[in-house]
Amino acid sequence: MSSALLTDHYELTMVQAALAGGTAHRRSVFEVFARHLPGGRRYGVVAGTGRLLDLLADYRFGDAELAYLRENGVVDDRTLDFLASYRFSGDIRGYPEGECYFPGSPIMVVESTFAEAVLLETLILSVLNHDSAVASAASRMAHAAGGRPLIEMGSRRTHEVAAVSAARAAHIAGFSSTSNLMAGRLYGVPTAGTAAHAFTLLHDSEYDAFQAQIDSLGPETTLLVDTYDVAKAVRTAVELAGPRLGAVRIDSGDLAVAAQEVRQMLDALGATTTRIVVTSDLDEYAIAALAAAPVDGYGVGTSVVTGSGVPTAAMVYKLVAREDAEGVLRPVAKKSVGKPSKGGRKEAFRALRDGVATAELITTSPGAPAPAQARPLLRDLVRGGEIVGREPLAAARERHLASTAELPVPARQLSHGDPVIPTVFS
Amino acid sequence: MSSALLTDHYELTMVQAALAGGTAHRRSVFEVFARHLPGGRRYGVVAGTGRLLDLLADYRFGDAELAYLRENGVVDDRTLDFLASYRFSGDIRGYPEGECYFPGSPIMVVESTFAEAVLLETLILSVLNHDSAVASAASRMAHAAGGRPLIEMGSRRTHEVAAVSAARAAHIAGFSSTSNLMAGRLYGVPTAGTAAHAFTLLHDSEYDAFQAQIDSLGPETTLLVDTYDVAKAVRTAVELAGPRLGAVRIDSGDLAVAAQEVRQMLDALGATTTRIVVTSDLDEYAIAALAAAPVDGYGVGTSVVTGSGVPTAAMVYKLVAREDAEGVLRPVAKKSVGKPSKGGRKEAFRALRDGVATAELITTSPGAPAPAQARPLLRDLVRGGEIVGREPLAAARERHLASTAELPVPARQLSHGDPVIPTVFS
């Protein structure tokens, strides 16, 4: 299905009025940025760019879309003709996926005619706001987990299609795997999972359930041990699977206490290599609180797919420059109370000292060389309408590791606070 | 695309182990319910059922899905064969869309074999948790707005596909229209929108921008008046459009004060029928605070699509009864600490006194007649695998009005509190 109608009505009426008024083809520069990092976060994480490039390739007004617009009188015939032949022919630059961002970072810069660029506002913001919110939360969880693996398992707590994108975003930001099979199929994210309480309840006894699971999935499986009595279940599990039992999962109760008790039991039973996986409304704070517990992996659901209290990344899409009547590109900015924007096309650099980030440098001198000890942040994503910014998901994962490793140590603090580096406009 | 892989990995491994162990075809009853109403809400609103029925019709494991599962070793060949011929052949009953629900309400009851029913867990929860979270927030906003129209315009603040479902859910719960064109095309939700700040900034002056918009969209359009100076913009708007000007939109500042000032200006300029629409991070509290302001309509974005602080409805899908080895259907329930469930197949009724709801009555006597002065809440949605529960969206909107009208007055309180009626199990 075309992505073209994943768009706000007013993008099309603006195109109509601009076509009629002769301003539709003025060269324009739109910029995606966030005025602040919601939730007192120390840094944000860009995600969604790769998905967006795929959606852009499908951004076409076909017969079905045009018929809907015509029958409902959304726009006039002239605009329908424009939409029928719509192809984005401009340039898009942006922060690549996995990169950290800060307030005012020009996360994406879209340059084309007004009509071509304004149409993309809704789709670009939907993708970046959702995926970056998930990645920003996931990155904090990955830091809190240290080296222990994180499984994303929140599909059931968010929209069924958003779930697939959330799994992808969490993987970029450090999660090892996901429960979501579509994320495995579409993006190659490793998938994981064995059994729920329903499987135990299906059987006439927990013994029967564990036996059936081990028979079919092998002793290396993960057995869920809190359906009735955890201690009894752990004994049954080791009795049936032996010391090769892969893991047990605990999904309720005081997880720190339970993990300690289960570890002692497993060790006493000789299952010293059997891992303990915990789940149950975990977020970055609960994960951090389990740092000293004998936990070998975390399953995270609701909190990661809903951005852990910040379900949207607060990015906006603003016109920052456009041609005037004389054909000169001029910076523009609205003056709305409390919602100012900075006009002008931007370049962005991460300033570093001894490998540690010190500031987000943003300049309105396009083409300016990178300052000393600073790396450029904007990459070409679309050039003259051609998509050039695709990359494997693994590249985004590696970039995220490098980008966060470069941040000052307080970036890892989970408490509410200011961005860990300042944004400096010059 | 098939909806079948919008599913957690473990649903499939459970099917594998149950097929191998001979329990896969045990008759089973799963129930969707919420242990609590998150966010101190007084009532919840069911939404998503209609979408879910469409997704169920597409729940098929085709060649592409099977190839992915085979190549990645997700399940064994026997399970792949089962999936290849998978068709849900059971029964689904549920609360219809727009209906209010309370903690413990059996919102959906799925009865089939274990293997057929367990596979649907992820998809059912994703749809109901997302759409019900949006509808539950939207309903509070509709009450806060009184009779004034609400426009849903949050597409850019949520996943691009979730946005379409959010627009639908908000419409069920009382929103008049949406900015989202796909929601218009797929579900017939009325769409609305005229222009953003970018349109004003595109032009060499606000005067030029307003003139172009009026020329193209007519004087009945809505002009956005806060790009530079609100008072100046209002004067320009009426100068150009005359008293037939449809509306002005204010998107920043103290909206109560601004609306008052703009109303006085419009009236003084003779534009007494020109409406005032306000937008800018509105939620149910901000809407309620504007009750005394001369506002004619609200545009709501972030808060409605993210459930106004409650982005997921906390519904779970639990096995409540299944056949034992003798073929007798027996209630089952896990005993996990803090996450108990109540076994047994349920019926549900809304008890009423003089037309006012007094309790949610839940019984585990299937087929029991409705108690006096109580109406049954469960409807047939799927019978023997055949979808029978489709209905027009207008029916859900009407049901929602009737269901909320029936609730005691404190249901409309926006403060955190207990559910407005108790849930009584018998």
Side-chain angles (χ1 to χ4, degrees), chain A residues 347 365-369:
Chain A
E347 288 287 338
S365 312

Side-chain angles (χ1 to χ4, degrees), chain B residues 26 31 88 99 123-125 128 142 163 175 180 205-206 235 251 277 308 319 337 353 368 374 377 402 413 415:
Chain B
R26 286 189 173 189
E31 180 186 305
F88 182 78
E99 184 62 85
L123 186 62
I124 287 176
L125 288 178
L128 294 180
F175 275 56
N180 190 288
S205 71
E206 191 171 57
R235 281 192 299 271
D251 183 51
V277 176
S308 199
L319 184 67
V337 180
R353 186 181 304 133
L377 293 163
Q413 290 178 5
S415 54

Side-chain angles (χ1 to χ4, degrees), chain B residues 25-352:
Chain B
H25 304 296
R26 286 189 173 189
R27 190 117 208 117
S28 296
V29 182
F30 284 85
E31 180 186 305
V32 174
F33 66 96
R35 292 194 182 89
H36 64 291
L37 301 178
R41 301 284 168 85
R42 309 308 176 102
Y43 63 95
V45 180
V46 175
T49 318
R51 289 207 311 115
L52 181 61
L53 295 178
D54 290 340
L55 287 162
L56 274 181
D58 293 332
Y59 198 93
R60 298 279 184 276
F61 291 86
D63 291 344
E65 289 76 26
L66 295 168
Y68 163 74
L69 297 173
R70 185 181 303 111
E71 286 159 20
N72 289 273
V74 175
V75 285
D76 61 15
D77 287 346
R78 175 187 201 155
T79 309
L80 292 172
D81 288 345
F82 171 83
L83 296 175
S85 60
Y86 178 85
R87 299 287 185 277
F88 182 78
S89 68
D91 300 326
I92 302 181
R93 304 177 71 212
Y95 282 39
E97 286 193 280
E99 184 62 85
C100 296
Y101 72 88
F102 298 91
S105 298
I107 293 159
M108 192 166 281
V109 181
V110 179
E111 182 161 356
S112 189
T113 66
F114 175 81
E116 280 195 8
V118 77
L119 273 183
L120 301 181
E121 172 178 32
T122 312
L123 186 62
I124 287 176
L125 288 178
S126 291
V127 172
L128 294 180
N129 270 326
H130 174 268
D131 290 18
S132 300
V134 173
S136 298
S139 177
R140 287 157 57 88
M141 294 170 190
H143 279 306
R148 296 172 177 173
L150 289 160
I151 311 168
E152 184 282 310
M153 36 176 266
S155 295
R156 65 190 58 193
R157 303 286 183 232
T158 186
H159 186 278
E160 72 278 6
V161 179
V164 186
S165 307
R168 180 185 181 278
H171 190 55
I172 288 173
F175 275 56
S176 309
S177 58
T178 178
S179 64
N180 190 288
L181 291 169
M182 190 70 94
R185 183 179 160 213
L186 289 184
Y187 304 120
V189 181
T191 65
T194 57
H197 295 102
F199 187 77
T200 298
L201 294 172
L202 169 66
H203 292 80
D204 297 339
S205 71
E206 191 171 57
Y207 186 99
D208 287 356
F210 286 3
Q211 185 69 66
Q213 185 176 333
I214 293 162
D215 283 350
S216 180
L217 302 177
E220 300 79 10
T221 192
T222 299
L223 292 170
L224 178 57
V225 292
D226 73 332
T227 303
Y228 304 112
D229 177 84
V230 172
K232 186 163 171 295
V234 170
R235 281 192 299 271
T236 304
V238 179
E239 178 191 336
L240 289 170
R244 285 168 57 207
L245 176 62
V248 296
R249 177 160 77 95
I250 311 169
D251 183 51
S252 57
D254 183 323
L255 296 175
V257 172
Q260 195 71 51
E261 291 174 354
V262 168
R263 182 74 270 158
Q264 287 171 359
M265 289 186 63
L266 288 170
D267 289 348
L269 294 165
T272 53
T273 60
T274 299
R275 286 166 296 111
I276 297 175
V277 176
V278 295
T279 55
S280 186
D281 286 334
L282 295 177
D283 61 12
E284 61 268 49
Y285 305 100
I287 292 167
L290 288 165
V295 167
D296 302 289
Y298 305 92
V300 184
T302 306
S303 66
V304 65
V305 299
T306 60
S308 199
V310 184
T312 185
M315 294 177 193
V316 295
Y317 185 83
K318 296 296 168 191
L319 184 67
V320 294
R322 50 85 188 140
E323 279 182 340
D324 64 12
E326 280 74 47
V328 178
L329 194 74
R330 297 201 181 276
V332 294
K334 65 174 177 164
K335 298 185 169 60
S336 311
V337 180
K339 294 181 177 178
S341 57
K342 285 182 197 295
R345 182 169 41 183
K346 320 263 190 328
E347 288 286 340
F349 305 92
R350 181 107 352 116
L352 303 162

Side-chain angles (χ1 to χ4, degrees), chain A residues 8-9 13 51 126 129 155 157 159-160 165 179 191 194 201-202 226-227 251 315 322 335 339, chain B residues 8-9 13 26 51 126 155-157 159-160 165 179 191 194 201 227 251 315 322 335-336 339:
Chain A
D8 285 333
H9 186 121
T13 48
R51 289 209 309 116
S126 292
N129 270 325
S155 295
R157 303 286 183 232
H159 185 278
E160 72 279 6
S165 307
S179 64
T191 64
T194 56
L201 294 172
L202 168 67
D226 72 332
T227 304
D251 182 51
M315 293 177 193
R322 50 82 188 146
K335 298 184 170 59
K339 293 182 177 176
Chain B
D8 285 334
H9 187 120
T13 48
R26 286 189 173 189
R51 289 207 311 115
S126 291
S155 295
R156 65 190 58 193
R157 303 286 183 232
H159 186 278
E160 72 278 6
S165 307
S179 64
T191 65
T194 57
L201 294 172
T227 303
D251 183 51
M315 294 177 193
R322 50 85 188 140
K335 298 185 169 60
S336 311
K339 294 181 177 178

